[in-house]
Amino acid sequence: MWPFSAPMPEAEPLSSCPMVRVWYSTSGRGFPIPRPISTALRAEGEAFFSVAKDSLHPFSIRAEGLDVRVVGTKFNLFARKGVALSRLSLEEGKVLFTSLASHRQTAVWPGQVAVLDKQTGRISVEQKPEEVNDATAWQRNELVFRNATLRHVIAVMETTYGVKFRFSGRLNMDDIFTGTLPSNNLGEGLEIIRHSYHVRAEQRNGVVTITK
């Protein structure tokens, strides 16, 4: 869930306002917020922000343990309540990423991923353009895995598709998988698993049985 506080400007028509556009990862739907924004946007969960450049009206996005100062930029923010790490993946522009616990602040540039440990307040920033691309895979209805264990892949599939997996026969759950699955098509996802691991996969009543 992403609650926002963004009052509409009364003097300017919507079409002429610099915009902030936000897409939810849970629904893939986007909506516009006109600027200037007088209060910080409150955020929780995961979303992609596209912020039109407006150097006269910077604003902040706040989530549990962090603050992001923006002017004109595009980035994906994962900031789920109760999860130890928050992650910002920057596609365009520049942001200032601040830990509210330690008051440490760092600039994040295109192609970089900033990770906040909410318990310690430590922020790490690395140049990872591939991960920036992966972070927005949900917008393309993709599940991207790089050197992931089969155990992790199955866990993500269960959450994404709303099914449970059962296994028959010997299958090494620590086998490594690198590839892309469609997040909106269980049948295609299972077909990729079948060919990758030479298994049979049958689905019935929300249960997927994998047989080696």
Side-chain angles (χ1 to χ4, degrees), residues 71-146:
V71 176
T73 182
K74 292 182 180 181
F75 62 93
N76 195 82
L77 180 64
F78 177 89
R80 197 158 287 164
K81 191 173 182 180
V83 177
L85 301 179
S86 291
R87 182 182 300 264
L88 185 147
S89 306
L90 193 70
E91 190 173 291
E92 291 182 14
K94 170 192 170 184
V95 301
L96 294 177
F97 192 66
T98 302
S99 165
L100 298 181
S102 65
H103 303 290
R104 295 173 184 168
Q105 185 180 81
T106 186
V108 186
W109 299 90
Q112 292 185 334
V113 176
V115 178
L116 168 68
D117 185 318
K118 288 187 278 189
Q119 184 173 3
T120 65
R122 181 177 180 272
I123 300 173
S124 61
V125 179
E126 293 186 59
Q127 192 75 29
K128 293 184 174 181
E130 284 187 346
E131 285 197 18
V132 172
N133 183 65
D134 293 351
T136 57
W138 58 266
Q139 290 184 285
R140 304 184 296 273
N141 295 315
E142 294 176 348
L143 300 173
V144 179
F145 301 95
R146 298 184 188 275

Side-chain angles (χ1 to χ4, degrees), residues 177-193:
F177 177 79
T178 295
T180 301
L181 305 180
S183 64
N184 57 352
N185 191 315
L186 173 59
E188 287 186 19
L190 291 178
E191 191 64 26
I192 293 171
I193 296 299

Side-chain angles (χ1 to χ4, degrees), residues 166-200:
R166 293 178 180 172
F167 301 92
S168 177
R170 293 185 177 182
L171 192 61
N172 186 357
M173 300 300 287
D174 292 320
D175 275 351
I176 298 301
F177 177 79
T178 295
T180 301
L181 305 180
S183 64
N184 57 352
N185 191 315
L186 173 59
E188 287 186 19
L190 291 178
E191 191 64 26
I192 293 171
I193 296 299
R194 287 189 190 102
H195 286 290
S196 299
Y197 293 97
H198 308 290
V199 296
R200 287 181 297 167

